[in-house]
Amino acid sequence: MADQQQYDYDVLVIGAGPGGYVAAIRAAQLGLKTACAESRETLGGTCLNVGCIPSKALLHASELFEEATGGHLAKFGVDIQGATLNLDQMHAEKAKAVKELTGGIEFLFKKNKVTWLKGRAAFQNDHSVQVGDQTVTARDIVIATGSSVTPLTGVEIDQKVVVDSTGALALPKVPEHLVVIGGGVIGLELGSVWRRLGAKVTVVEYVDQILPGFDGEVRREAGKLFKKQGMEFLLSTKVTGVTVDGDRATVSVEPAAGGEATTLDADAVLVAIGRKPNIDGLNLDAAGVKLTDRGQVAIDHDFATNVDGIWAIGDVAPGLMLAHKAEDEGIAVAENIAGQTGIVNHDIIPSVVYTTPEIAGVGLSEEAAKEKVGEIKVGKFPFAANSRAKTNRDTDGFVKVIADAKTDRVLGAWIISSLAGTMIAQVAQAMEFGATSEDIAYTCHAHPTHSEAIKEAAMGVTGKPIHV
Ligand SMILES: Cc1cc2nc3c(=O)[nH]c(=O)nc-3n(C[C@H](O)[C@H](O)[C@H](O)COP(=O)(O)OP(=O)(O)OC[C@H]3O[C@@H](n4cnc5c(N)ncnc54)[C@H](O)[C@@H]3O)c2cc1C
């Protein structure tokens, strides 16, 4: 906490995304007079407005459409004749979910007496910030301004033919051919939505596998599954430019290592090569806040910047760009400001790709575990041998548990399954409690559930699964 002095607020949070709104609510709960500045019309940040929530709404809706039209329901004797797509209704239901959730944050702000300052914030000095046309002072200031789409040189986003994730969440019609630039989480999720609704989808990825940062075996298996679903991949390929003519685009590509250039004809192009921290216009220099060499706000273990009383969390700070990471940091930073000890264990942040099947991981990949720990043991269990998955005709994927060979402590787990996003929480909690693979293997799991595959994979670490 900075020195005692008269300020308008104890805490000013800049940005009302999952990091900022959670920090503001926790600060207020801890008895601090709190304001949150947000330049968007609604609260909730990228995640609620143009990220996690609308993408999951479309993923769910498009999955229902594919189940109805792709023969999945018919296989179970549920014969739906003549199912058609009403895309406007799909978008309307998505908008309803977004409105309810962003409105929910407004309600929580009122309930917790957090003042919402509407407008763009810029530092005037280390305790003073201009928000719209007013100036407010605060003893502690939390930078939670999030991130925005990384532009691709030579590719102009017009949100009509060439879109970023925000545009891809609102396409007014199903494209014939969608070219997705970037085989990361966002590209694969949004590519899946439009493929399920009828588009041909080609994913162009610079490196030789999709899903950078994930376990190698998981990346390979995920690639196979997406191909089986009809997605096309151009790996080790770079996009050198996109030209738009009317409602069509020509995407120029060539091998990443150099070689012969070719073109792809498309009526929609999604640029999804990553996200960059939002620092433009914040006037960080006026406060003296330092950045990392990657342009993020530099922080220490407690989320404190180099300037006393200024903190940073979420996508604008180093670490995984994920909503739950931002939220946990929001709680921790507020507790630190209040003089408590707020901690986030950045080694145990689950990552989920919400495709079908879902892909989830927590902790180290097999490659990273070998590099970091050396001797490891791996247990794997396929869903083809899990009774519930078999019953549901849902056998794609596996669970993989990675443990330290000497201590048996679980170092990481990876799951490809329709329920992977929900299942990974169990392993995250076990790892947080310092579990060994044996601890998981000897925990009774309900039958018949997909979660039994986690138990069996853990049993596999010591070589004793039952059902394979
Ligand atoms: C399409 C898509 C899907 C995603 N899906 C998931 C998912 O399923 N799960 C997941 O964990 N993550 C997902 N993410 C990532 C997730 O949205 C981010 O990690 C998360 O929103 C980061 O939270 P934050 O609070 O740091 O920033 P943000 O949510 O980006 O919020 C920052 C807020 O600050 C405001 N702001 C910025 N500058 C200023 C300023 N100067 N003054 C006032 N206000 C300002 C912005 O308007 C914004 O509202 C997704 C992202 C995208 C784009």
Side-chain angles (χ1 to χ4, degrees):
M1 260 189 264
D3 297 342
Q4 284 298 321
Q5 204 186 311
Q6 279 304 311
Y7 296 109
D8 297 329
Y9 295 97
D10 295 322
V11 181
L12 169 66
V13 181
I14 305 176
Y21 86 70
V22 168
I25 291 173
R26 177 58 114 222
Q29 286 173 343
L30 291 167
L32 300 168
K33 189 181 174 199
T34 305
C36 183
E38 172 57 59
S39 56
R40 211 184 278 272
E41 289 299 308
T42 48
L43 300 173
T46 304
C47 177
L48 272 66
N49 289 282
V50 290
C52 329
I53 297 306
S55 60
K56 265 78 259 176
L58 288 187
L59 279 157
H60 178 66
S62 60
E63 193 175 347
L64 294 178
F65 177 75
E66 191 172 49
E67 280 181 4
T69 55
H72 300 258
L73 292 184
K75 193 168 72 182
F76 288 95
V78 183
D79 223 341
I80 299 178
Q81 299 291 332
T84 55
L85 173 65
N86 180 342
L87 186 57
D88 289 343
Q89 176 56 30
M90 207 176 263
H91 281 314
E93 199 58 23
K94 169 200 71 185
K96 210 166 141 198
V98 169
K99 191 160 181 253
E100 283 172 13
L101 285 160
T102 55
I105 309 298
E106 209 172 324
F107 164 79
L108 289 174
F109 269 17
K110 283 193 188 122
K111 183 180 163 206
N112 289 284
K113 300 191 174 51
V114 173
T115 305
W116 174 10
L117 302 173
K118 297 185 184 183
R120 181 155 282 280
F123 280 91
Q124 290 182 325
N125 62 47
D126 54 349
H127 291 287
S128 172
V129 174
Q130 173 104 25
V131 184
D133 52 14
Q134 61 178 318
T135 299
V136 289
T137 58
R139 191 191 63 212
D140 288 275
I141 300 171
V142 180
I143 305 167
T145 49
S147 64
S148 44
V149 173
T150 307
L152 179 59
T153 315
V155 182
E156 198 182 318
I157 289 169
D158 60 18
Q159 297 297 31
K160 288 192 181 88
V161 181
V162 185
V163 295
D164 60 15
S165 55
T166 303
L169 287 166
L171 293 178
K173 67 177 179 59
V174 179
E176 280 164 40
H177 185 196
L178 169 67
V179 171
V180 178
I181 309 176
V185 179
I186 292 174
L188 292 169
E189 287 188 357
L190 294 176
S192 292
V193 165
W194 295 107
R195 184 201 55 74
R196 291 169 188 170
L197 299 180
K200 171 182 168 181
V201 175
T202 306
V203 178
V204 185
E205 169 55 53
Y206 188 84
V207 298
D208 63 352
Q209 287 291 341
I210 56 170
L211 291 174
F214 280 59
D215 180 88
E217 197 175 6
V218 167
R219 294 172 76 186
R220 284 190 296 279
E221 182 64 17
K224 276 190 217 154
L225 291 171
F226 292 133
K227 256 188 226 156
K228 205 168 83 183
Q229 293 170 3
M231 249 190 216
E232 289 179 19
F233 291 93
L234 293 175
L235 302 175
S236 305
T237 302
K238 68 177 169 198
V239 171
T240 53
V242 177
T243 53
V244 176
D245 185 8
D247 57 3
R248 313 264 344 153
T250 305
V251 182
S252 305
V253 296
E254 64 182 50
E260 202 183 324
T262 47
T263 58
L264 301 167
D265 180 51
D267 56 340
V269 179
L270 164 60
V271 181
I273 58 162
R275 296 182 63 81
K276 62 178 178 59
N278 284 335
I279 50 151
D280 290 350
L282 259 182
N283 200 20
L284 290 175
D285 286 347
V289 174
K290 285 197 180 134
L291 300 179
T292 66
D293 51 11
R294 299 182 65 190
Q296 304 138 322
V297 177
I299 48 168
D300 66 12
H301 184 259
D302 298 328
F303 313 101
T305 68
N306 61 304
V307 179
D308 193 28
I310 303 185
W311 315 73
I313 55 166
D315 281 11
V316 78
L320 293 172
M321 285 186 167
L322 291 170
H324 41 281
K325 175 257 192 192
E327 286 187 56
D328 285 9
E329 290 183 348
I331 291 174
V333 79
E335 292 177 349
N336 286 334
I337 289 170
Q340 301 181 354
T341 307
I343 294 172
V344 176
N345 182 354
H346 287 100
D347 292 337
I348 306 180
I349 308 269
S351 292
V352 182
V353 192
Y354 294 88
T355 46
T356 304
E358 294 180 344
I359 301 157
V362 64
L364 298 176
S365 64
E366 188 172 342
E367 298 78 16
K370 271 185 192 143
E371 202 178 306
K372 204 167 167 187
V373 178
E375 240 181 285
I376 58 163
K377 282 191 174 168
V378 177
K380 235 180 100 179
F381 191 81
F383 279 95
N386 171 272
S387 58
R388 185 62 182 276
K390 261 194 121 46
T391 311
N392 292 3
R393 324 314 283 156
D394 172 31
T395 50
D396 282 338
F398 56 79
V399 177
K400 176 171 177 177
V401 173
I402 302 158
D404 186 316
K406 289 195 196 85
T407 63
D408 192 34
R409 196 167 169 153
V410 177
L411 301 168
W414 297 86
I415 306 174
I416 301 182
S417 157
S418 56
L419 299 179
T422 303
M423 290 166 68
I424 202 70
Q426 172 197 337
V427 191
Q429 190 169 41
M431 287 174 68
E432 196 62 63
F433 291 176
T436 59
S437 79
E438 193 182 47
D439 290 329
I440 298 178
Y442 283 97
T443 300
C444 190
H445 287 62
H447 174 79
T449 59
H450 288 67
S451 294
E452 286 173 288
I454 297 179
K455 176 188 169 89
E456 293 253 21
M459 290 163 92
V461 171
T462 45
K464 298 187 204 109
I466 297 292
H467 293 97
V468 276

